[in-house]
Amino acid sequence: MSAQTCRLAVLIDADNAQPSLIDALLAEVAKYGTAQVKRIYGDWTTPQLNGWKQSLLSASIQPIQQFRYTVGKNATDSAMIIDAMDLLYSNNFDGFCLVSSDSDFTRLASRIREAGLLVYGFGERKTPQPFRTACDKFIYTDVLAKASEDEAESKNATVDAKHLRQDTKLVNVIRNAIEAASDDAGWAALGPVGSFIGKQFNDFDSRTYGYSKLSSLVKAIGLFEYEERQAGTGKTLYVRNKTKKGK
């Protein structure tokens, strides 16, 4: 299913998200589909949520009021979960975007996936692992908080390149993905490599390392061969572990 045809419901936990990220968040959501529903949940009578009001107007996000019935209980989570299930049963959507760093949405994410729909999670790095792994893909909001992709790459690429080879986990993740997607000569198209990584590590994001694209990250590491091959009217990047050279 393409991003042009994927219908998404975007549900935001106002208590666990930052209004300053809303433009970057919706731009990221647009990569995966069309946000047909955009709702945000919280107790709008409290001053803590005042910062959201202007963002909601400019982004056409519907605020859902949920009073706090008692101290220490999060009624917002319950309201968001109930709405999510209503939307799920409407059969009008192909996926959900759940914006929160709260582990209370772990079961919700799992239930939506059990119904055959996609779940994209958005949250801070403190988000508990059960919720992160319950999503098809999880995007860290601090990655979205960075400057534009071009600015981030130009500022961080030179510095990051010195340390990328020392990141054993990163190098092994890419090496294993290339091995899994490669042909007999060791070459693998970058698209399948990225898909393999995403299936194993749903929170992997090249922007975490200062690169807007996986191709830029792979090239910067300097441990992999790469070449562009003509594919129809465009070009496809192929990569290979350097240890395969000559085989």
Side-chain angles (χ1 to χ4, degrees), residues 103 105-107 109-110 127-135:
S103 63
F105 297 107
T106 301
R107 180 63 186 122
S110 298
T127 305
Q129 185 176 0
F131 177 41
R132 288 188 279 119
T133 55
C135 301

Side-chain angles (χ1 to χ4, degrees), residues 144-214:
L144 302 180
K146 291 180 180 179
S148 67
E149 293 181 349
D150 289 340
E151 292 177 344
E153 189 160 338
S154 63
K155 289 179 181 178
N156 297 330
T158 301
V159 177
D160 286 349
K162 298 177 181 179
H163 303 285
L164 291 175
R165 295 185 188 87
Q166 300 174 7
D167 191 331
T168 304
K169 180 179 179 181
L170 170 64
V171 172
N172 286 337
V173 164
I174 297 177
R175 275 181 174 159
N176 292 338
I178 292 174
E179 188 70 27
S182 65
D183 58 21
D184 291 340
W187 288 102
L190 192 63
V193 170
S195 297
F196 185 86
I197 293 174
K199 290 177 181 178
Q200 279 201 312
F201 306 95
N202 69 341
D203 59 352
F204 181 89
D205 196 323
S206 60
R207 292 171 296 184
T208 301
Y209 303 93
Y211 294 85
S212 61
K213 297 180 180 179
L214 178 60

Side-chain angles (χ1 to χ4, degrees), residues 39 81-91 93 96:
R39 297 178 185 175
I81 291 170
I82 291 171
D83 263 15
M85 295 308 296
D86 285 342
L87 293 170
L88 174 63
Y89 291 136
S90 73
N91 295 320
F93 300 92
F96 283 72

Side-chain angles (χ1 to χ4, degrees), residues 119-138:
V119 178
Y120 301 101
F122 296 81
E124 299 175 4
R125 290 188 182 274
K126 68 178 182 180
T127 305
Q129 185 176 0
F131 177 41
R132 288 188 279 119
T133 55
C135 301
D136 288 284
K137 183 173 180 60
F138 193 88

